């Protein structure tokens, strides 16, 4: 159990007290938090908040009288609006989405009754906050127009970044659940202890069951973790950039409402957690790094991209930790693999000046290429081309950077064994950070053939010596997708070298890419896996050669 300063959370998330609390959170943030303002001066009131408006918005001004809303098309105006982050569910393209056939009708009127509960609740929250406009992806983007979808998805990062606040329907598995339904008395209801000295009442102590213990310093009861980090919304890939790029998020969890901005988190029960110190995962670390960039903005304005705070070695570590979180999440459409991260990719390139290559950063490519699919993970390749074989986006399944970062050696001390001679990615459509049509990397490094056993334990080995009838195991192997055959000859590309041994009996390992030659093109390869070579001198006599990986 944990003792908290929180109060009793009511059963009605739509209470007037909760709307007043949310209004106060927003007002406090935009008027007193300089780090939450994207570099803009502090405002005197919420009414002064003005940002570029998205191409389309839902006008909710008549929602409480006529019980209808409509789609409004903007023409470059400034203003304020609320955004929605939610789970669609598994119903495909439902009848309430905007299509080429329905767009003109949507601009006239949309009856609230035909919208799912989450949309209706978002309309009510927007109206209660005194805001006129709401952005909802399925209503503000023409879903069956490839041109409109590509243009709007390319602008997704700006849409969330410029919003006044993002409503996160964190506890809703689909659009029909909503976020304002009355709560049942759950296991998180506190035991209340009255404090008094003689006859004088001093206050109350609320004792909550501590549901998670790994973030006690920032989340005494674990309720934020349970309601936000472990909620249905956190299982969707699109919502990573929606949350990270929004300067203010209000999470409607199953147990209570939580606030999250750059400076702090707060709970409906009254608890506040200041966003300070080192956070414990890549998602939070990168979010925190963006906070630091905003605070030090004046310094960075005069710095060249190569000198900026965000171009330190930890930047790419945070990026690839986010990739681990991202690839473990779900996508309804496999083709969204890169578009669902494009807003965040654009923002990181803007802040660092670092080139973006189909999910990888050009800086420290010997780290970026070192992703692998762990033995206990399930992966596959999409039916249609989606990314070069060297990108984690080329597979469906979780990508791990265990080999690159989760060691006792600092990532910036791991030495590159390749020289990048050139890299190119050809994008498809309007989004320069979205779907990919082709890509290649040309590099110079040490390439050596080896045999591979794909049955457990998966190993890289040299074939049996005819004189000794023995084979030498060289290291460990990780398939990008599961293969069944053994003893295939493939090629190991030395990717990076650890600078020293991690123990007296542990040899210095080499991280390698496992490559397969393409047919008909000399020195051209595809990636099929990754691995580690433990034989220290295995590459010593190998000459360096120039190859292209597609």
């Amino acid at each position: 159990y944990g003792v908290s300063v929180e109060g009793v959370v009511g059963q009605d998330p739509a209470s007037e007290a909760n709307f007043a609390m949310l209004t106060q959170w927003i007002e406090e943030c935009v008027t007193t938090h300089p780090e939450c303002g994207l570099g803009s001066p502090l405002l005197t009131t919420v009414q002064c908040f003005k940002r570029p408006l998205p191409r389309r918005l839902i006008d909710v001004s008549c929602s409480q009288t006529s019980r209808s809303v409509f789609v409004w098309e903007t023409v470059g105006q400034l203003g304020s609006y609320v955004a929605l982050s939610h789970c669609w569910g598994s119903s495909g393209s439902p009848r309430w989405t905007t299509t080429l056939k329905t767009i003109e009708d949507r601009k006239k009127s949309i009856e609230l009754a035909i919208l799912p509960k989450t949309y209706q609740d978002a309309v009510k929250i927007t109206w209660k906050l005194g805001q006129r406009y709401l952005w909802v992806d399925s209503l503000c983007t023409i879903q069956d127009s490839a041109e409109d979808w590509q243009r709007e998805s390319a602008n997704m990062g700006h849409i969330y970044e410029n919003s006044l606040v993002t409503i996160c329907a964190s506890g809703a598995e689909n659009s029909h659940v909503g976020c304002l339904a009355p709560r049942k008395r759950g296991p998180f209801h506190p035991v209340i202890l009255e404090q008094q000295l003689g006859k004088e009442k001093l206050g109350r102590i609320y004792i909550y069951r501590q549901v998670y213990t790994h973030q006690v310093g920032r989340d005494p009861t674990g309720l934020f973790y349970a309601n936000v980090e472990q909620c249905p919304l956190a299982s969707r890939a699109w919502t990573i950039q929606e949350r990270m790029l929004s300067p203010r998020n209000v999470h409607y969890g199953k147990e209570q409402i939580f606030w999250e901005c750059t400076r702090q988190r707060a709970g409906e029960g009254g608890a506040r957690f200041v966003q300070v110190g080192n956070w414990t995962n890549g998602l939070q670390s990168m979010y925190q790094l963006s906070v630091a960039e905003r605070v030090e903005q004046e310094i960075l304005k005069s710095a060249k991209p190569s000198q900026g705070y965000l171009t330190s070695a930890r930047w790419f570590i945070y990026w690839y930790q986010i990739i681990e979180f991202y690839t473990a999440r779900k996508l309804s459409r496999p083709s969204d693999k890169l578009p669902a991260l494009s807003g965040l990719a654009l923002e990181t390139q803007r802040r660092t000046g670092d080139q973006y290559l189909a999910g990888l950063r050009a800086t420290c490519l010997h780290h970026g290429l070192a992703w692998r699919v762990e033995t206990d993970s399930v992966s596959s390749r999409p039916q249609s081309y989606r990314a070069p074989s060297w990108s984690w986006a080329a597979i469906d399944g979780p990508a791990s950077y265990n080999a690159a970062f989760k060691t006792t050696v600092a990532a910036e001390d791991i030495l590159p064994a390749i020289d990048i001679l050139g890299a190119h990615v050809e994008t498809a459509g309007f989004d320069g950070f979205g779907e990919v049509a082709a890509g290649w990397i040309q590099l110079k490094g040490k390439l050596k053939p080896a045999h591979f056993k794909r049955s457990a334990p998966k190993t890289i080995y040299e074939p049996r010596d005819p004189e000794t009838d023995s084979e030498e195991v060289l290291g460990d192997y990780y398939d990008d997708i599961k293969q069944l055959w053994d003893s295939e000859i493939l090629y190991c590309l030395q990717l990076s070298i650890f600078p020293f041994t991690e123990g007296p009996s542990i040899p210095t390992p080499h991280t390698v890419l496992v490559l397969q030659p393409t047919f008909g093109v000399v020195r051209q390869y595809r990636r099929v896996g990754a691995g580690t070579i433990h034989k220290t001198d295995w590459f010593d006599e190998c000459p360096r050669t120039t190859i292209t990986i597609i």
Side-chain angles (χ1 to χ4, degrees):
Y1 287 79
V3 178
S4 175
V5 295
E6 295 189 63
V8 177
V9 175
Q11 291 182 300
D12 183 12
S15 67
E16 291 301 321
N18 279 342
F19 286 123
M21 172 190 66
L22 179 53
T23 300
Q24 181 181 353
W25 281 338
I26 296 172
E27 187 85 30
E28 177 184 334
C29 183
V30 300
T31 60
T32 66
H33 296 177
E35 63 269 44
C36 301
L38 299 176
S40 301
L42 287 174
L43 305 177
T44 55
T45 65
V46 173
Q47 286 69 34
C48 297
F49 186 92
K50 304 292 181 185
R51 293 287 188 275
L53 298 179
R55 187 182 182 197
R56 300 186 189 93
L57 287 163
I58 307 301
D59 189 319
V60 308
S61 57
C62 298
S63 61
Q64 304 306 304
T65 54
S66 66
R67 303 301 296 167
S68 66
V69 296
F70 64 91
V71 172
W72 175 54
E73 291 193 338
T74 66
V75 284
Q77 294 98 325
L78 298 178
S80 63
Y81 61 93
V82 175
L84 175 65
S85 178
H86 68 108
C87 294
W88 280 41
S90 57
S91 56
S93 183
R95 62 187 178 91
W96 60 79
T97 59
T98 296
T99 63
L100 290 167
K101 184 178 179 179
T102 63
I103 178 61
E104 293 305 319
D105 289 337
R106 296 281 188 263
K107 289 192 284 186
K108 296 175 184 177
S109 178
I110 308 172
E111 295 296 323
L112 283 180
I114 74 165
L115 296 178
K117 186 66 167 62
T118 297
Y119 293 23
Q120 294 183 36
D121 288 350
V123 167
K124 181 174 182 178
I125 295 166
T126 302
W127 187 81
K128 282 287 191 179
L129 291 176
Q131 296 297 307
R132 181 171 183 172
Y133 301 115
L134 169 68
W135 187 88
V136 181
D137 49 4
S138 62
L139 293 175
C140 297
T141 302
I142 302 176
Q143 296 299 310
D144 59 351
S145 168
E147 179 180 344
D148 192 78
W149 191 91
Q150 288 180 4
R151 180 170 50 240
E152 294 305 297
S153 67
N155 196 41
M156 198 77 71
H158 295 304
I159 290 172
Y160 283 95
E161 189 174 41
N162 288 323
S163 66
L164 174 65
V165 66
T166 295
I167 300 167
C168 302
S170 302
E173 294 85 358
N174 57 60
S175 298
H176 298 284
V177 174
C179 46
L180 294 179
R183 309 181 184 110
K184 296 178 181 179
R185 181 185 172 100
F188 307 111
H189 202 79
V191 174
I192 304 172
L193 301 180
E194 299 282 354
Q195 285 184 303
Q196 62 183 67
L197 182 61
K199 294 183 178 180
E200 181 183 1
K201 290 186 177 181
L202 301 178
R204 291 178 174 180
I205 295 177
Y206 299 87
I207 303 179
Y208 286 82
R209 181 169 66 86
Q210 192 170 359
V211 290
Y212 290 96
T213 60
H214 77 296
Q215 290 186 322
V216 172
R218 292 179 301 279
D219 185 10
T221 63
L223 286 175
F224 184 91
Y225 185 79
N227 281 265
V228 177
E229 308 292 359
Q230 294 294 301
C231 69
L233 194 64
S235 69
R236 307 304 302 176
W238 275 99
T239 62
I240 278 192
Q241 69 171 7
E242 293 170 5
R243 178 182 171 191
M244 289 182 64
L245 293 175
S246 298
R248 287 163 286 275
N249 293 285
V250 55
H251 300 277
Y252 281 84
K254 291 186 176 181
E255 279 76 43
Q256 64 173 285
I257 302 169
F258 284 95
W259 170 264
E260 180 181 43
C261 66
T262 301
R263 176 179 290 189
Q264 69 177 13
R265 294 172 177 175
E268 180 183 343
R272 293 197 176 209
F273 318 114
V274 179
Q275 305 276 40
V276 295
N278 295 320
W279 292 10
T280 57
N281 61 48
L283 175 63
Q284 295 174 326
S285 295
M286 186 167 175
Y287 192 97
Q288 182 71 2
L289 199 57
S290 71
V291 172
E293 192 267 353
R294 292 173 188 173
V295 172
E296 300 182 14
Q297 183 179 3
E298 294 305 315
I299 298 174
L300 291 176
K301 277 181 180 177
S302 60
K304 296 179 180 178
S306 61
Q307 298 172 331
Y309 176 81
L310 294 182
T311 55
S312 63
R314 58 178 159 164
W315 171 260
F316 65 80
I317 298 176
Y318 294 148
W319 174 259
Y320 292 124
Q321 286 177 326
I322 286 175
I323 297 306
E324 289 191 336
F325 283 94
Y326 176 75
T327 56
R329 294 190 177 199
K330 301 173 184 176
L331 280 168
S332 299
R333 301 196 311 179
S335 58
D336 288 354
K337 191 83 168 187
L338 289 169
L341 201 64
S342 66
L344 200 52
L346 170 63
E347 185 66 11
T348 57
Q349 179 162 305
R350 184 186 71 80
R351 294 175 187 232
T352 66
D354 193 14
Q355 185 184 3
Y356 183 70
L357 298 168
L360 276 58
R361 318 304 312 187
T363 299
C364 303
L365 264 179
H366 65 291
H367 286 305
L369 292 167
W371 61 270
R372 72 190 190 195
V373 178
E374 298 292 351
T375 305
D376 57 353
S377 298
V378 178
S379 62
S380 60
R381 293 199 186 278
Q383 294 181 350
S384 302
Y385 181 90
R386 192 170 63 200
S389 66
W390 40 263
S391 169
W392 51 262
I395 65 163
D396 290 317
S400 168
Y401 277 92
N402 269 325
F405 307 131
K406 297 174 184 177
T407 71
T408 57
V409 179
E412 54 265 41
D413 293 332
I414 299 175
L415 307 176
I418 55 172
D419 294 321
I420 304 298
L421 305 179
H424 175 73
V425 169
E426 179 184 339
T427 55
F430 295 95
D431 190 354
F433 298 82
E435 294 184 50
V436 167
W440 53 264
I441 291 177
Q442 188 178 62
L443 54 84
K444 191 170 186 178
K446 294 184 176 183
L447 188 71
K448 196 171 180 179
H451 288 251
F452 295 80
K453 282 190 176 179
R454 285 175 161 127
S455 55
K458 296 183 178 183
T459 57
I460 306 171
Y461 71 99
E462 286 190 317
R464 293 185 181 278
D465 186 321
E467 295 183 3
T468 63
D469 193 33
S470 64
E471 62 185 27
E472 182 177 10
V473 174
L474 302 171
D476 308 311
Y477 172 61
Y478 301 85
D479 272 313
D480 286 350
I481 59 172
K482 188 175 181 180
Q483 305 286 356
L484 300 178
W485 57 88
D486 283 349
S487 301
E488 182 182 6
I489 298 178
L490 297 169
Y491 290 81
C492 289
L493 171 71
Q494 186 186 32
L495 193 61
S496 59
I497 310 167
F498 281 63
F500 49 80
T501 60
E502 297 189 59
S505 61
I506 304 175
T508 302
H510 308 271
T511 303
V512 298
L513 289 190
V514 180
L515 306 177
Q516 184 180 58
T518 60
F519 293 103
V521 182
V522 178
R523 295 181 182 175
Q524 180 175 280
Y525 298 83
R526 287 187 179 89
R527 173 187 160 134
V528 294
T532 304
I533 297 292
H534 296 292
K535 187 177 181 182
T536 306
D537 59 356
W538 192 63
F539 283 106
D540 284 358
E541 302 301 320
C542 182
R544 293 169 64 82
T545 185
T546 299
I547 65 169
T548 300
I549 310 175
I550 61 172

